[in-house]
Amino acid sequence: MTALPGGTGPAGRTGSTRRGGAAASRRLVVLRHAKSARPEDVPDRDRPLAARGERDAPAAGRAIAGTVGPPDLVLCSTAVRARRTWELAAAEWDTPPPVRYDSRLYAAGVPALLAVVREAPADVGTLLLVGHNPGLADLVLALAGDGADDTLDRVRTKFPTSAVAVLSWRGTAWPDLAPGTALLTAVTVPRGPAR
C-alpha cells in the first residue's frame, strides 16, 4: 500500500489531516459499484453483482490502495451491489478501514450525497464514498473546480461501473467542502481478469 504524506489519521493510519483547525489537504475517493446483475423479480436495491462485477470489485480495491492507500472512513450505500463491491474491495487490504452503511446514498443526487459527506468527522483525511450513478458522476463534476489532464472530460463522457475518482481539496472540516472547490486528480476504471 502507498504511504501518504501528512499526519496520522484515525486508528494510526497515515492520512492527510492536520491538527489544530488549520486547513488541511483532504481527499474524497468516489467508487461506483461494480457491474450488477439484473435478475427478474428482484427489487433494484437487492440486485447482486454480476460475474464481471465480482472480478472488478477486487481490482478497484487494489487500485484505491495503490493510488491513495486505505481511506480513514468509508461511506457505503445499503444496496446489495454497493455493499458487495465494498466487501470485495476491502478484502484487498490488510486492515480495512471502518465503514458506515447509509441508506441515504442509494439513488441519491448531489445535494443528498454532499450532505452525507459533510457529516464525516473532522479527523478523516481521506474519505471513500461507494454508491451509484448518475449521482456519483454528478457529484464529482459539481465538486471539481478543475481536473488534472483529461479527468473532467472522462467523467463527463462516462463514469462506468467500478470507476474510481479522486478529488483533493483543502479545508478545516468536511462541512467546508463546496461545489467547485476540489481538484479532480485521478480517474481510473479498474478491471479484473477476464474469464
Side-chain angles (χ1 to χ4, degrees), residues 41-169:
D41 300 323
V42 173
D44 184 75
R45 191 183 292 262
D46 297 332
R47 287 169 40 209
L49 290 185
R52 189 179 100 194
E54 293 278 336
R55 294 191 305 267
D56 291 348
R62 291 189 296 274
I64 293 168
T67 303
V68 300
D72 298 312
L73 177 65
V74 178
L75 301 175
C76 183
S77 163
T78 53
V80 169
R81 60 192 180 273
R83 291 176 68 106
R84 181 65 177 155
T85 297
W86 165 242
E87 290 168 3
L88 292 170
E92 296 297 311
W93 300 331
D94 293 335
T95 305
V99 60
R100 293 182 186 169
Y101 295 101
D102 195 318
S103 61
R104 295 175 295 171
L105 298 176
Y106 173 73
V110 172
L113 292 169
L114 191 53
V116 174
V117 166
R118 286 174 171 162
E119 292 174 5
D123 63 349
V124 170
T126 300
L127 180 66
L128 171 60
L129 182 64
V130 184
H132 313 268
N133 253 8
L136 290 185
D138 292 344
L139 178 69
V140 170
L141 293 172
L143 292 176
D146 199 2
D149 301 321
D150 64 345
T151 52
L152 283 169
D153 288 337
R154 291 177 60 202
V155 174
R156 283 187 195 107
T157 301
K158 189 173 185 182
F159 195 65
T161 54
S162 300
V164 177
V166 180
L167 293 150
S168 179
W169 66 284

Side-chain angles (χ1 to χ4, degrees), residues 1-7 13-16 27 65-72 125-126:
M1 285 178 230
T2 305
L4 305 174
R13 279 190 294 279
T14 302
S16 55
R27 285 178 296 199
T67 303
V68 300
D72 298 312
T126 300

